[in-house]
Every structure is written in structure tokens, then in C-alpha cells.
Amino acid sequence: MNTPLTIRHIAAAASFVLMAGVAPAGAQVVARVNGAPITNEQLDRAFSNVLRERKLNISRMQNPKQARDLKRVALERLIQEELFWQQAQKENLVVSEAEVEKAFSESIASFRSREAFETQLMRQGTDERGFRDSIRRLQSADRYAQRVVEQRVRITDADIEAFYRANPGLFDQPERWKARTMAILAPSTQPPEERLRARLRLEALRLQLTQGADFDRLARQHSDDPTRQWGGALDVAPLGDLPEWMRAPLAKLKPGGLSPVIETAQGYHLLKLEARLPASRVPLAEARTAIRDQLQKTRGSDALDQATAELRAAAKIEMLVPL
């Protein structure tokens, strides 16, 4: 979908978009949708949002065609938003004043102060009334988008099962390693005697572990590794996804085994292998929710594309500047 109208949480928005409707005096109109103007200022803001979403910097963009293409994406998004807003009004889907005020209050709360919020509004060339109008339009347009998805998208158990059968690779899990780590940090830039003290501390902790001490407890008390708050527990992962210095020592261990003290440039480390989880496939019962969400997302995107095409076909859309 090239110009999606996503289902937004307007209240948490950090950027403000003036919606189409009434063009301020002197504003350059770049397009009209059934007579409703879209201004150059709106297009500039939408273009900035597209750049931010794609993590692009306009000053580093060397290809003028790329910039024009992205500006067209921004304009198509504004046109879609205006079409959905107009349709929301026709279908009595405009949000209530209470919903607008709730989103407005939550937006203010996301700033460090009311003054910071008002400063942002001024930078965007609007005021509180204009921002409320933007919330109303965007939330109402999103409500129409939600209705489209609800009416046109149906995900059945048969759909989910067919997706599961057709995409076995998505549900296969390689062998995974469950391990814990403990560290006494002493960077190689420290004097040798300090490095030696760090090693001896960890050797003493290792001796306690071989005598039955609890790894979780000792890691929480003594480890310098960030995993100390979890008792040294690492995320369960394939061996190849773990840091390189861990791989060979872990590969030599049996479940329950403890590594020798391992030296790195950062200091000294211990590893304990708790389990090797065999390769497996996620059962269909566990995958159902994720599959349903994925199908809802892709089919919902297609449904919104179709709805946009239908609304465009029935609308009068005037492009007033070349892009």
C-alpha cells in the first residue's frame, strides 16, 4: 500500500498536521478534493513526516527524483485523509467532542509543559482550535478506515490454517541455547594487578558455584554484567546469535555445565549452560494469534487501497501544481 492511512493514536502524536478544509488567507493551494483545499504548508509537513518515517534527511538526498516521488507520496496521503474525512461525515462517523478533548488533553500531557505544547502549535502555524480540528478530522477518518476493515476483511480458521501450511519456514525454530553469564569487568586498559584481582574474584565465585552455590543469587550480588538484574539470564537464542566470545565455550558445555573463567578485553566472564532446546516448529495453536494479526494487517491494507480507489473514482480531485 503506497499511501496508507494508518489507524493512529492521535493523542500521542508528536507532530501536528493541519488537515485540508479551509485554506488560510494567502496560502498556496496545491490540490483540491471535492473543493476542499490542500495547501503547500500541509504538504511540507506531510513530506517531513514521510522523511522521518523512512529515516531520510532531505539535505543528504542527492537524487531530485527521489524527493519528488516522496512528496507525491505525502500528497497522496493527504488526499486519502481528506477523502476518508469527507466519507466519515457522510456516514455519521465523526468523533464526539468528548473524544476530541480526551485526545487533546493527552497530547498536552505528552509535553513537559503547557507552554512547550503551545510553542509547538505556533511552530506548526496553528492554535488550539486548529489542533482540535485536526484531531477531529484524523480520528474520524481513522474511524471510517476501521469500518472499512471491519466490513471487508474476514479471517477464518481455514485462512489461518492455509497460511500456516503455506509458510512453514516462518514457524520453524532452530536449536536454541539457554544460558546465564556473570562478569567482573576490568578493561584491558587497567593495570595488570587490577585485572588480576578481578580474575581472582571471579575464580572465587566459580569455586562457590562448583560447591553448589546458586548462580542466580551470586550474579545478582556480584556480577558487573547488565544481566545481573535477571540473575545473569540471557535471552534464549541460537548459538550463532550470541556474542562471538560465548559461542565456543558454550558449545563445549553440557546442560548444567559451568565454563572456565573467560578473558575478554572488557574483563572476566563465566557461562553456565542451562539447556539446549532442540529445533522445533511452533504449533498452530500458538501461532494462530500472530497469523490472524498478519492477515488482518495485509488484507486490511488491501481493503483500504480498494476503498481509496473507489472514493477517488467518484471524487473531483484537482492537482494544481506539478509534482
Side-chain angles (χ1 to χ4, degrees), residues 18-25 27-43 45 75 78-79 81-83 85-86 137 316-320:
L18 290 176
M19 296 297 295
V22 178
Q28 181 187 3
V29 177
V30 297
R32 292 187 186 275
V33 180
N34 293 323
I38 296 175
T39 68
N40 191 57
E41 288 80 2
Q42 293 168 300
L43 179 56
R45 278 185 285 272
L75 181 56
L78 288 173
I79 290 171
E81 289 172 350
E82 178 61 28
L83 287 168
W85 158 244
Q86 292 179 12
R137 288 169 173 266
K316 181 181 180 182
I317 298 176
E318 304 167 83
M319 299 293 195
L320 305 179

Side-chain angles (χ1 to χ4, degrees), residues 2-17:
N2 295 324
T3 57
L5 179 67
T6 56
I7 306 302
R8 298 174 177 82
H9 182 197
I10 299 299
S15 60
F16 305 116
V17 181

Side-chain angles (χ1 to χ4, degrees), residues 10 15 26 36 61 77 86 136 142 144 150-152 163 190-191 198 200 205 210 214 236 295 306 319-320:
I10 299 299
S15 60
M61 203 173 293
R77 184 176 295 182
Q86 292 179 12
R136 183 178 298 103
D142 285 346
Y144 171 73
E150 290 168 0
Q151 291 179 339
R152 303 190 184 193
F163 184 92
Q190 289 186 355
L200 292 176
L205 291 169
T210 62
D214 182 58
V236 177
L295 291 176
Q306 182 181 3
M319 299 293 195
L320 305 179

Side-chain angles (χ1 to χ4, degrees), residues 188-214:
S188 56
T189 53
Q190 289 186 355
E193 58 271 20
E194 292 186 20
R195 294 264 294 176
L196 177 59
R197 279 196 291 270
R199 181 178 189 118
L200 292 176
R201 279 186 61 199
L202 196 58
E203 292 281 10
L205 291 169
R206 186 181 188 281
L207 179 60
Q208 292 183 51
L209 292 169
T210 62
Q211 294 174 346
D214 182 58

Side-chain angles (χ1 to χ4, degrees), residues 80-198:
Q80 185 189 46
E81 289 172 350
E82 178 61 28
L83 287 168
F84 280 22
W85 158 244
Q86 292 179 12
Q87 197 63 23
Q89 294 175 86
K90 292 179 182 178
E91 297 189 17
N92 197 29
L93 295 173
V94 176
V95 297
S96 68
E97 289 303 314
E99 291 172 295
V100 172
E101 286 306 311
K102 181 176 183 291
F104 183 81
S105 297
E106 290 176 356
S107 293
I108 295 175
S110 68
F111 285 78
R112 67 178 183 275
S113 67
R114 178 66 178 248
E115 291 72 22
F117 173 74
E118 292 174 350
T119 298
Q120 179 68 8
L121 291 180
M122 291 177 60
R123 288 174 180 165
Q124 295 294 328
T126 190
D127 55 18
E128 291 186 8
R129 180 178 178 180
F131 184 52
R132 282 187 175 90
D133 287 342
S134 295
I135 291 173
R136 183 178 298 103
R137 288 169 173 266
L138 282 170
Q139 286 196 333
S140 300
D142 285 346
R143 181 171 287 181
Y144 171 73
Q146 289 170 343
R147 173 172 287 186
V148 167
V149 173
E150 290 168 0
Q151 291 179 339
R152 303 190 184 193
V153 176
R154 294 287 183 272
I155 309 298
T156 67
D157 287 344
D159 293 331
I160 293 171
E161 292 162 10
F163 184 92
Y164 183 82
R165 290 194 302 270
N167 299 277
L170 296 178
F171 308 102
D172 287 340
Q173 294 183 330
E175 181 183 42
R176 288 159 297 145
W177 298 64
K178 183 179 180 182
R180 291 182 185 267
T181 187
M182 188 186 306
I184 303 297
L185 298 185
S188 56
T189 53
Q190 289 186 355
E193 58 271 20
E194 292 186 20
R195 294 264 294 176
L196 177 59
R197 279 196 291 270

Side-chain angles (χ1 to χ4, degrees), residues 207-242:
L207 179 60
Q208 292 183 51
L209 292 169
T210 62
Q211 294 174 346
D214 182 58
F215 197 110
D216 182 290
R217 180 178 61 81
L218 290 186
R220 291 177 189 273
Q221 292 176 349
H222 302 286
S223 180
D224 294 330
D225 193 89
T227 60
R228 66 177 296 169
Q229 61 184 309
W230 302 292
L234 298 165
D235 290 337
V236 177
L239 188 64
D241 289 353
L242 294 171

